[in-house]
Amino acid sequence: MHKIKNSNKPHILCVNPWIHDFAAFDFWAKPLGLLQLAAIIRESGVSVTFLDCLDRFHPEALRKGKVKLLGDGRGPFRKKSVKPPSQTLPDLQSTGKRFFRYGIEPEWFYKDLVDLKKANPPDLILVTSMMTYWASGVSETISVVKKVFPDTPVVLGGIYASLCREHAEKHSLADQVVTGTGEEVIQDIVKEYTGYCITPEKESNHRFQQPTDLENLPFPALDLVSRLTYAPILTSRGCPFSCDYCASSFLEKSLRRRSSEKVFQEIAHWHLNYGVKIFAFYDDALLIQPEKYILPLLEKILCSSFSSDLSFHTPNALHIRQITREVTEMMYRTGFKTIRLGLETTDFSPSARADKKVRKEEFHNAVRMLKKAGFTEEQTGAYLLCALPGQDLDDVESSIKLVKQSGITPVLAYYTPIPHTPMWKEAVRNSRFDLEKDPLFTNNALMPCLKDESEMDKILQLKKMTSFISSQK
């Protein structure tokens, strides 16, 4: 529990909820949206507390023994078996999959809330949400919050809230569900529930006059995290593409960028003040206009006194067309360790159903440049879309083989049906489950758009192909 106290102003509690899923792992994930709001709120001098139900380094976890930590900052969450939502039970029983709560123990969270109530009860509670199919984790989190603070307003935002607003309003237990970009409405929310106007104390900061200008936002309050083994970084929001399977263009209406200088300042801030050495870029458009954004940023990092201490990862797909000799060389010199390419398919024919963001020769050129720069097969992977509605899985097998032949790692990206995307209606028609009944049915672990057991068997074969490839490295 971390708190910044000012008794003359309201106290706001920010909560990152549990994950309910069949599988989950800390892939450099932090609730950046919520921590961005926490930074905005506390900049006006308001008291902020952050409780993280996914805290791998919670004091109680440390007391129980050593927490597993990989060299790149990632690691497994604690987990316990739980029951899925009751309306999903009849359908899920046939899958044989076990359902888990990932994160801290409920009694730890309850005690943190009780301690907070004794010390400084909040006037407003903000809860975030991520994947739509983690909805039951959100409702369980809010149910515990309500036990301790029954009269304190709870406002839910985030991806699940934005994509499944009606479901969230009905099932989350939140007093209000907010959709869209949080920094554009946070001032009104705080004013409505606490009567206090959070205007920046720094007169030069004109964020509330230009809420869409990322340049004016403070750095997300990652310092509220109990232990920073890595820092996720966003250099932009939104994406210039509108892929049929992706909700990025629904959640962010346009591509917004931060200057290379601002991003460099953030990296330097977390490294010099908090000792962070591992950074993960979660952009959907990291390499777009490289000469204006990523290349100047990498140049600034290379010219710094601490460049040799840092490592970088790109878990989100990089756009292959933007990969040039200069980009690959600079990324290698700067210390990038994980590269993921947004290939999707190696069916480059005009009749292929996937969005055409790359041609065959562009993919092979990108791979050659990455190899020439020094990136290894273990470091470089290409995402291949799998289990799409109506997809021919033989095409996926061909793509795995071609990627392997190119000398990099094929990485299967299993399709998740997402409301408000062009592919949603097709997914609803093709799914074995009633996707509109509960968000859990959209979970890609269920591969909801596979037609029958033969396709499930085929997926297992494809998994073995990629596992075999990985084991041979």
Side-chain angles (χ1 to χ4, degrees), residues 82-362:
V82 295
K83 290 183 178 180
S86 58
Q87 65 269 27
T88 68
L89 279 172
D91 295 284
L92 293 182
Q93 285 174 345
S94 63
T95 68
K97 290 183 175 294
R98 295 184 64 193
F99 199 59
F100 298 93
R101 176 202 303 114
Y102 290 87
I104 64 176
E105 303 295 336
E107 55 267 28
W108 302 352
F109 182 46
Y110 183 82
K111 183 180 184 300
D112 288 342
L113 292 168
V114 171
D115 290 346
L116 186 63
K117 186 175 184 178
K118 295 175 182 176
N120 185 16
D123 301 287
L124 172 64
I125 300 170
L126 304 179
V127 180
T128 190
S129 60
M130 292 295 290
M131 302 298 189
T132 56
Y133 47 80
W134 292 346
S136 60
V138 173
S139 60
E140 185 190 15
T141 301
I142 295 178
S143 71
V144 177
V145 169
K146 287 287 189 179
K147 287 177 183 177
V148 181
F149 300 109
D151 301 319
T152 306
V154 176
V155 178
L156 174 67
I159 294 174
Y160 156 61
S162 295
L163 293 174
C164 302
R165 180 171 185 165
E166 291 184 5
H167 186 275
E169 289 176 336
K170 185 176 181 180
H171 297 282
S172 71
L173 306 180
D175 297 291
Q176 182 179 349
V177 175
V178 176
T179 62
T181 306
E183 61 262 23
E184 296 185 7
V185 296
I186 188 59
Q187 187 178 27
D188 293 336
I189 290 171
V190 173
K191 182 70 180 294
E192 177 182 354
Y193 288 107
T194 72
Y196 185 81
C197 183
I198 53 167
T199 53
E201 291 184 339
K202 299 176 183 178
E203 293 183 3
S204 62
N205 193 319
H206 58 285
R207 177 176 59 258
F208 293 111
Q209 284 70 48
Q210 294 182 318
T212 59
D213 186 355
L214 301 183
E215 203 74 354
N216 287 321
L217 295 177
F219 302 147
L222 287 169
D223 53 289
L224 298 183
V225 173
S226 62
R227 180 178 172 185
L228 269 181
T229 61
Y230 58 82
I233 298 289
L234 275 175
T235 75
S236 64
R237 295 191 196 174
C239 182
F241 301 101
S242 298
C243 299
D244 287 351
Y245 55 83
C246 181
S248 180
S249 59
F250 177 82
L251 296 169
E252 291 281 350
K253 301 305 180 185
S254 61
L255 175 62
R256 294 181 288 156
R257 310 295 295 265
R258 299 169 68 199
S259 69
S260 59
E261 176 59 30
K262 191 75 172 185
V263 177
F264 173 73
Q265 289 175 9
E266 182 176 0
I267 292 170
H269 171 74
W270 297 123
H271 176 65
L272 297 176
N273 297 317
Y274 296 90
V276 179
K277 297 182 178 182
I278 302 166
F279 295 86
F281 288 106
Y282 266 94
D283 294 69
D284 289 323
L286 181 65
L287 300 188
I288 299 299
Q289 293 181 281
E291 68 287 342
K292 187 175 180 181
Y293 293 101
I294 189 64
L295 287 175
L297 171 61
L298 300 184
E299 185 65 40
K300 292 176 188 294
I301 294 171
L302 283 173
C303 291
S304 71
S305 60
F306 50 81
S307 63
S308 60
D309 296 333
L310 308 183
S311 64
F312 299 91
H313 304 267
T314 63
N316 276 22
L318 299 177
H319 292 112
I320 292 172
R321 282 183 177 169
Q322 308 301 322
I323 294 177
T324 64
R325 178 186 58 79
E326 185 177 10
V327 167
T328 57
E329 290 179 354
M330 289 288 283
M331 290 175 74
Y332 186 79
R333 291 173 59 201
T334 312
F336 278 70
K337 303 300 182 185
T338 304
I339 302 293
R340 292 292 178 262
L341 306 178
L343 180 58
E344 300 174 2
T345 179
T346 60
D347 181 0
F348 301 102
S349 65
S351 60
R353 60 171 295 157
D355 298 274
K356 295 296 187 300
K357 296 193 292 288
V358 61
R359 296 191 300 269
K360 184 176 182 178
E361 60 271 20
E362 291 171 328

Side-chain angles (χ1 to χ4, degrees), residues 343-400:
L343 180 58
E344 300 174 2
T345 179
T346 60
D347 181 0
F348 301 102
S349 65
S351 60
R353 60 171 295 157
D355 298 274
K356 295 296 187 300
K357 296 193 292 288
V358 61
R359 296 191 300 269
K360 184 176 182 178
E361 60 271 20
E362 291 171 328
F363 166 65
H364 287 296
N365 285 337
V367 171
R368 280 194 292 269
M369 285 183 284
L370 287 164
K371 287 182 176 181
K372 189 172 182 180
F375 290 103
T376 65
E377 181 180 1
E378 291 82 358
Q379 292 176 302
T380 313
Y383 285 130
L384 298 171
L385 286 175
C386 187
L388 292 160
Q391 185 180 32
D392 185 345
L393 296 179
D394 287 338
D395 291 340
V396 181
E397 181 176 356
S398 299
S399 295
I400 291 173

Side-chain angles (χ1 to χ4, degrees), residues 393 432 447 449-458:
L393 296 179
R432 309 187 316 280
M447 301 185 192
C449 292
L450 294 186
K451 292 180 293 187
D452 50 38
E453 287 299 318
S454 65
E455 289 200 332
M456 292 294 291
D457 291 341
K458 180 67 173 180

